[in-house]
């Protein structure tokens, strides 16, 4: 016998969150809604803090497309603004650029230094190696690199960071399981990143404790309540290279809204752990993305 | 954070308590009559969809409708037999690409929405159709 409650619970949540806007026949590319994902803080297609194997925008193997985004993370003692754009070609290659600006008034005050901002440029490239996030039985797999250049290296070097620039390399596998859980579509994403960055390289690369690349794990899991709303969580392991302060792994829980193929909005509660001796950096994250 | 946990728990319990019969989806699609209406609406949406309408210009619409009804009936666990050609045969040489395929999926979703078919039934039907993608595109 089929339980009325199970169906009711799922459909009830779906009803509550159903966006009134329906699928539009937009010009922004031939892929399905939400398959371009959002843009993570470093400018690659992904969630909030973790990249995915999917490429930005909605271009199929015969098209080109792209996105632009702004995002803000606001924790107790820090604020990180990111802005950027990505372009992808034939659902094969993604190129991205982002500028990040970290405000650290508390830390600057504590250190007694005038700089209260760290800016960073990120240039990313991603190549889809294999598969399709929706249609192949195996996950979509992509390889990516993010070149990052810290523009305000005074505080990072004081903290013990060795380099103001470096390259992260990653391999991502992403799969949408149609009707995968409670008849809802489930998104799973796993990333291995080779990096020696400190706090997403906002505190530079390498340190006194360790100055070589290591493999860290990042992952995301989400549940599509319906075609427009995704709830989920992310995890991003952090290297711990500096003896001056320990780095803790980042995590968040998020809600993403895809009203149509032009826009998406992500809101999250993030927990970045301790950053540069300031404890318990929890707070909000919001990002808005436009696709073309 | 707590709200998400509650939502996840609600979905979890929904999943755990659900035991489906083989023809559940067939009934959720409205059985034979429902599937006929659904396919008719799909074909109207296709005819209005500039992205793919041209591909069906020379189609035998009556046959296509019957074969699609049979196919969806069988897939959803209904008491039918599919008498049409294989997906590879019927789409070979038609230059169907990813954009065309997704356009048809969007037209199907619009038809299912207008039939008020639940999100869970929509997901299950699309999950059954998605594996055909490889036989249909770029051949
Ligand atoms: C999951 C996706 C699809 C399914 C389940 C499907 C199913 C079918 C079926 C059952 C037939 C009839 C076969 C027969 O006559 O024996 C057919 C024919 C056909 N399909 Fe598809 N199809 C799909 C996608 C597409 C797409 C994306 C296009 C193009 C945009 C397309 C274009 C055609 C055409 C032109 C015919 C031939 C109609 C005729 O010549 O009378 N199909 N399809």
């Amino acid at each position: 016998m089929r339980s009325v409650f199970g169906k009711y619970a799922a459909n009830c949540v779906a009803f509550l969150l159903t966006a009134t806007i329906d699928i539009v026949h937009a010009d922004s590319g031939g892929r399905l809604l939400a398959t371009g994902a959002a843009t993570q803080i470093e400018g690659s297609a992904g969630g909030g803090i973790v990249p995915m194997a999917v490429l930005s925008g909605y271009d199929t193997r015969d098209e080109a497309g792209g996105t632009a985004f702004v995002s803000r993370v606001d924790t107790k003692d820090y604020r990180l603004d990111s802005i950027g754009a990505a372009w992808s070609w034939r659902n094969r290659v993604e190129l991205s650029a982002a500028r990040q600006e970290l405000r650290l008034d508390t830390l600057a005050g504590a250190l007694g230094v005038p700089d209260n901002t760290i800016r960073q440029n990120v240039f990313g490239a991603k190549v889809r190696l294999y598969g399709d996030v929706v249609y192949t039985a195996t996950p979509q797999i992509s390889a990516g690199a993010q070149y990052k250049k810290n523009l305000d290296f005074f505080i990072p070097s004081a903290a013990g960071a060795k380099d103001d620039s470096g390259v992260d390399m990653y391999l991502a596998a992403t799969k949408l399981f149609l009707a995968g859980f409670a008849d809802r579509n489930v998104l799973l994403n796993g990333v291995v990143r080779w990096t020696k960055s400190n706090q997403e390289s906002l505190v530079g690369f390498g340190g006194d404790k360790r100055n070589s690349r290591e493999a860290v794990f990042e992952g995301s899991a989400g549940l599509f309540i319906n075609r427009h709303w995704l709830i989920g969580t992310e995890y991003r392991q952090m290297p711990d290279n500096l003896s001056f302060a320990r780095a803790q792994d980042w995590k968040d829980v998020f809600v993403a809204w895809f009203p149509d193929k032009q826009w998406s909005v992500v809101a999250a509660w993030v927990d970045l752990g301790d950053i540069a001796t300031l404890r318990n950096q929890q707070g909000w994250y919001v990002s808005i993305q436009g696709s073309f | 954070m707590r709200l998400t946990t509650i939502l996840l728990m609600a979905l979890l319990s929904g999943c755990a308590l659900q035991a489906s019969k083989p023809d559940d989806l067939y009934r959720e699609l409205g059985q034979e009559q429902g599937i006929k209406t659904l396919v008719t609406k799909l074909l109207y949406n296709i005819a209005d969809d500039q992205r793919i309408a041209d591909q069906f210009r020379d189609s035998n619409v009556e046959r296509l409708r019957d074969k699609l009804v049979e196919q969806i009936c069988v897939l959803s666990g209904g008491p039918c037999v599919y008498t049409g050609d294989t997906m590879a045969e019927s789409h070979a040489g038609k230059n169907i690409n990813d954009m065309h395929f997704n356009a048809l999926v969007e037209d199907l979703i619009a038809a299912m929405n207008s039939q008020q078919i639940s999100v869970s039934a929509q997901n299950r039907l699309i999950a059954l159709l998605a594996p055909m993608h490889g036989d249909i595109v770029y051949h």
Side-chain angles (χ1 to χ4, degrees), chain A residues 2-3 5-7 9 22 25 30-32 60-63 135 178 181-185 223 227 261, chain B residues 11 13-14 17-18 24 51 97-99 101-102 105-107 109 113 120 122-124 127 130 133 138:
Chain A
R2 148 188 277 274
S3 154
F5 173 70
K7 263 191 75 181
D22 235 314
H25 291 171
R31 262 151 62 196
L32 292 174
T60 63
R61 283 178 273 183
D62 312 283
E63 302 165 324
Y135 292 122
L178 294 163
F181 185 80
D183 290 340
R184 289 302 186 276
N185 298 338
L223 188 73
R227 255 159 259 299
K261 285 202 221 170
Chain B
L11 293 168
S13 57
L17 291 169
Q18 213 160 301
D24 260 1
R51 297 171 297 179
N97 63 27
D98 283 335
M99 185 273 283
F101 192 95
N102 291 331
V105 171
E106 290 176 1
D107 292 340
I109 290 169
N113 282 342
S120 71
Q122 293 193 16
N123 290 342
R124 277 183 286 159
H133 175 261
Y138 301 99

Side-chain angles (χ1 to χ4, degrees), chain A:
Chain A
M1 211 184 67
R2 148 188 277 274
S3 154
V4 181
F5 173 70
K7 263 191 75 181
Y8 176 78
N11 286 333
C12 179
V13 172
F15 176 78
L16 286 173
L17 294 180
T18 295
T20 43
I21 304 157
D22 235 314
I23 283 180
V24 288
H25 291 171
D27 295 321
S28 60
R31 262 151 62 196
L32 292 174
L33 186 66
T35 56
T39 308
Q40 50 93 247
I41 47 171
E42 291 149 304
S44 305
I49 56 175
V50 177
M52 292 185 194
V54 297
L55 307 194
S56 67
Y58 288 104
D59 50 301
T60 63
R61 283 178 273 183
D62 312 283
E63 302 165 324
T67 54
F69 84 104
V70 287
S71 71
R72 169 169 286 186
V73 184
D74 204 342
T75 68
K76 204 172 58 185
D77 299 304
Y78 297 98
R79 196 182 78 199
L80 175 65
D81 289 318
S82 304
I83 181 165
W87 177 78
S88 68
W89 182 72
R90 299 203 161 195
N91 199 16
R92 175 62 68 190
V93 181
E94 170 192 295
L95 300 174
S96 60
R99 159 64 68 91
Q100 299 182 311
E101 195 169 310
L102 178 70
R103 280 290 296 262
L104 29 73
D105 294 298
T106 315
L107 186 68
L111 298 175
V113 294
D115 303 39
N116 65 352
T117 318
I118 294 177
R119 292 162 304 151
Q120 173 169 258
N121 288 336
V122 188
F123 297 98
K126 194 196 291 182
V127 179
R128 183 176 63 85
L129 299 177
Y130 175 79
D132 182 280
V133 65
V134 180
Y135 292 122
T136 52
T138 47
Q140 177 164 331
I141 294 175
S142 297
Q146 292 171 337
Y147 166 79
K148 308 203 240 175
K149 167 88 177 142
N150 202 305
L151 305 179
D152 301 285
F153 195 55
F154 177 69
I155 291 178
S157 71
K162 298 289 184 208
D163 286 310
D164 65 354
S165 68
V167 179
D168 284 2
M169 288 174 290
Y170 63 90
L171 204 60
T174 312
K175 170 111 186 96
L176 184 74
F177 294 88
L178 294 163
F181 185 80
D183 290 340
R184 289 302 186 276
N185 298 338
V186 173
L187 182 70
L188 290 183
N189 171 58
V191 177
V192 180
R193 183 192 292 258
W194 286 269
T195 180
K196 56 173 180 173
S197 63
N198 308 315
Q199 302 289 359
E200 195 257 278
S201 68
L202 290 161
V203 194
F205 289 82
D208 50 345
K209 233 160 93 181
R210 184 191 173 102
N211 190 24
S212 56
R213 279 210 178 84
E214 66 184 295
V216 291
F217 173 78
E218 303 173 7
S220 357
L223 188 73
F224 277 93
I225 300 303
N226 60 33
R227 255 159 259 299
H228 303 281
W229 290 89
L230 173 69
I231 55 172
T233 181
E234 290 179 299
Y235 189 87
R236 178 164 170 173
Q237 215 180 354
M238 287 282 138
D240 193 18
N241 303 327
L242 301 170
S243 57
F244 138 84
R246 66 172 175 168
Q248 291 182 298
D249 297 346
W250 291 7
K251 25 194 170 316
D252 67 55
V253 287
F254 67 83
V255 177
W257 181 42
F258 298 89
D260 54 39
K261 285 202 221 170
Q262 268 80 56
W263 298 102
S264 75
V265 181
V266 181
W269 176 253
V270 300
D271 179 357
L272 311 181
D274 300 350
I275 294 186
T277 70
L278 301 176
R279 305 190 75 83
N280 266 332
Q281 298 304 319
Q282 300 183 345
W284 287 100
Y285 165 83
V286 176
S287 85
I288 300 171
Q289 175 187 266
S291 303
F292 50 88

Side-chain angles (χ1 to χ4, degrees), chain B residues 34-131:
Chain B
I35 293 172
K36 275 186 177 156
T37 313
L38 177 65
V39 169
T40 305
K41 285 185 174 173
L42 167 63
L43 291 173
Y44 275 121
N45 290 346
I46 290 173
D48 283 342
D49 188 340
Q50 286 176 10
R51 297 171 297 179
I52 52 174
D54 259 9
Q55 310 243 10
F56 293 87
R57 214 179 24 224
D58 307 319
S59 295
N60 176 348
V61 176
E62 219 145 282
R63 176 186 161 96
L64 182 57
R65 174 171 181 261
D66 291 347
K67 298 305 162 204
L68 277 169
V69 168
E70 285 175 10
Q71 192 187 37
I72 293 175
C73 172
V74 173
L75 280 174
S76 63
C80 311
V81 181
Y82 178 66
T83 60
D85 301 330
T86 67
M87 289 300 97
E89 282 163 4
S90 44
H91 298 95
K94 292 194 160 66
N95 292 317
I96 299 169
N97 63 27
D98 283 335
M99 185 273 283
H100 299 133
F101 192 95
N102 291 331
L104 189 138
V105 171
E106 290 176 1
D107 292 340
L108 175 64
I109 290 169
M112 292 193 289
N113 282 342
S114 93
Q115 283 280 87
Q116 314 219 309
I117 290 167
S118 70
V119 175
S120 71
Q122 293 193 16
N123 290 342
R124 277 183 286 159
L125 180 58
I126 292 172
L128 293 165
L129 295 171

